Amino acid sequence: CFLSLQKREISNFDYLMYLNTLAGRSYNDYMQYPVFPWVLADYHSETLNLTNPQTFRDLSKPMGAQTVERKQKFIQRFNEVEKNLSAQCHYCTHYSSAIIVASYLVRMEPFTQTFCSLQGGSFDVADRMFHSVKSTWESASRDNMSDVRELTPEFFYLPEFLTNANHFELGCMQDGTVLGDVQLPPWADGDPHKFILLHRQALESDYVSAHLHCWIDLIFGHKQHGTAAVEAVNTYHPYFYGDKMDLNNVKDPLIKSTILGFISNFGQIPKQV
């Protein structure tokens, strides 16, 4: 399959879906939903230049290390935890979880009901809802130390998830903005279909094709855990590594329940492939 990718016989999208499947991730499990990368860093230009490397996200770095400043903060956290706590990691939140998936796809059923169920029966505060691609990128790549989320496959083929066709009352933000359709970058001209078209072109671009293996190493490969992960600023709370933990040796039922609940609610590292 990798040779087919190198020869351009299959798309980057198909290869990522293949890897997700090998790693045990599935559309049928929100807790282990297929994970896809942010591939762009330009959500402000009027036109999208896919020949400019500056247009793209650095695929060799996890979302927590996209800026030098935030990378240093997470390294500092890792070093401070080493001195004070047993759970040494860079990130205490995950890049893919049931709530992240449901929040992205909240404008479509059955994700609407799933999201509300996970939120205790109602939508979240409007300012925390997924409402803008640009602001979500800025949060996950720069602004929010508890946000390192990646994307779902729908960002590359399904324009419907970006529109509030069901007219759900999603609330009103503090600045008075009523939540409806997702706000798109200028280069999409307010058209979800154009956004998906250009976003898919970005995924299949020469730049992403040349660097996608770096992201795969972080999520599915050798930089997923261990020394290589530490060097890549890519370690997560130990509970996220579900397949690395032997729960049979956890005798305390409360601790075991806590670990299982943590994995269910906050995400799980894919099986290494």
Side-chain angles (χ1 to χ4, degrees):
C1 188
F2 179 68
L3 289 176
S4 296
L5 181 69
Q6 286 184 318
K7 296 177 181 178
R8 296 294 181 92
E9 293 175 354
I10 65 171
S11 66
N12 291 336
F13 182 93
D14 288 339
Y15 187 62
L16 287 172
M17 284 303 302
Y18 176 73
L19 287 176
N20 272 282
T21 302
L22 280 182
R25 303 185 78 86
S26 164
Y27 282 119
N28 297 321
D29 186 350
Y30 294 172
M31 293 179 290
Q32 295 195 74
Y33 205 76
V35 56
F36 269 59
W38 288 94
V39 294
L40 294 174
D42 182 355
Y43 298 97
H44 57 271
S45 297
E46 294 295 329
T47 57
L48 193 61
N49 183 359
L50 296 181
T51 64
N52 181 3
Q54 299 303 314
T55 297
F56 298 91
R57 166 255 182 102
D58 187 342
L59 288 161
S60 70
K61 296 181 175 65
M63 289 302 292
Q66 290 297 304
T67 69
V68 174
E69 295 80 5
R70 198 156 86 134
K71 176 182 178 181
Q72 290 305 316
K73 288 180 180 178
F74 281 121
I75 291 174
Q76 182 181 355
R77 172 190 285 177
F78 183 92
N79 293 332
E80 288 176 349
V81 168
E82 182 178 21
K83 298 172 184 176
N84 302 316
L85 300 172
S86 59
Q88 185 179 19
C89 61
H90 294 106
Y91 314 115
C92 296
T93 54
H94 200 254
Y95 49 77
S96 178
S97 65
I99 192 65
I100 289 173
V101 171
S103 68
Y104 278 146
L105 306 176
V106 67
R107 291 164 177 79
M108 300 189 308
E109 293 287 12
F111 301 97
T112 310
Q113 293 303 315
T114 299
F115 181 83
C116 290
S117 176
L118 292 170
Q119 283 294 128
S122 63
F123 292 119
D124 198 359
V125 174
D127 287 84
R128 291 200 296 259
M129 296 280 287
F130 173 51
H131 66 277
S132 162
V133 177
K134 177 176 180 287
S135 65
T136 302
W137 160 255
E138 291 172 348
S139 173
S141 67
R142 186 187 71 195
D143 296 339
N144 188 344
M145 289 290 286
S146 63
D147 182 4
V148 292
R149 75 190 109 165
E150 295 279 7
L151 301 181
T152 64
E154 287 81 1
F155 276 82
F156 300 95
Y157 70 86
L158 190 67
E160 286 78 11
F161 88 96
L162 297 165
T163 64
N164 188 21
N166 292 317
H167 305 292
F168 293 119
E169 295 183 4
L170 302 174
C172 183
M173 299 175 64
Q174 290 185 1
D175 64 4
T177 302
V178 177
L179 263 61
D181 297 345
V182 175
Q183 297 173 12
L184 303 176
W187 45 259
D189 296 326
D191 183 350
H193 290 83
K194 184 173 182 179
F195 172 84
I196 295 295
L197 174 65
L198 293 176
H199 206 215
R200 182 63 174 266
Q201 288 178 358
L203 178 64
E204 305 298 341
S205 66
D206 290 340
Y207 179 90
V208 172
S209 296
H211 296 86
L212 187 58
H213 67 282
C214 299
W215 183 84
I216 291 170
D217 286 343
L218 294 170
I219 306 300
F220 301 104
H222 75 286
K223 293 183 180 180
Q224 182 191 83
H225 63 90
T227 303
V230 174
E231 294 174 353
V233 193
N234 192 46
T235 66
Y236 297 81
H237 192 286
Y239 288 174
F240 291 140
Y241 298 87
D243 64 333
K244 299 290 187 292
M245 300 188 68
D246 187 358
L247 293 178
N248 292 324
N249 289 329
V250 179
K251 304 304 181 184
D252 189 323
L254 182 59
I255 295 177
K256 181 179 290 189
S257 176
T258 300
I259 294 173
L260 290 172
F262 199 97
I263 293 170
S264 297
N265 290 304
F266 298 108
Q268 188 171 350
I269 300 293
K271 293 178 182 177
Q272 191 172 17
V273 296

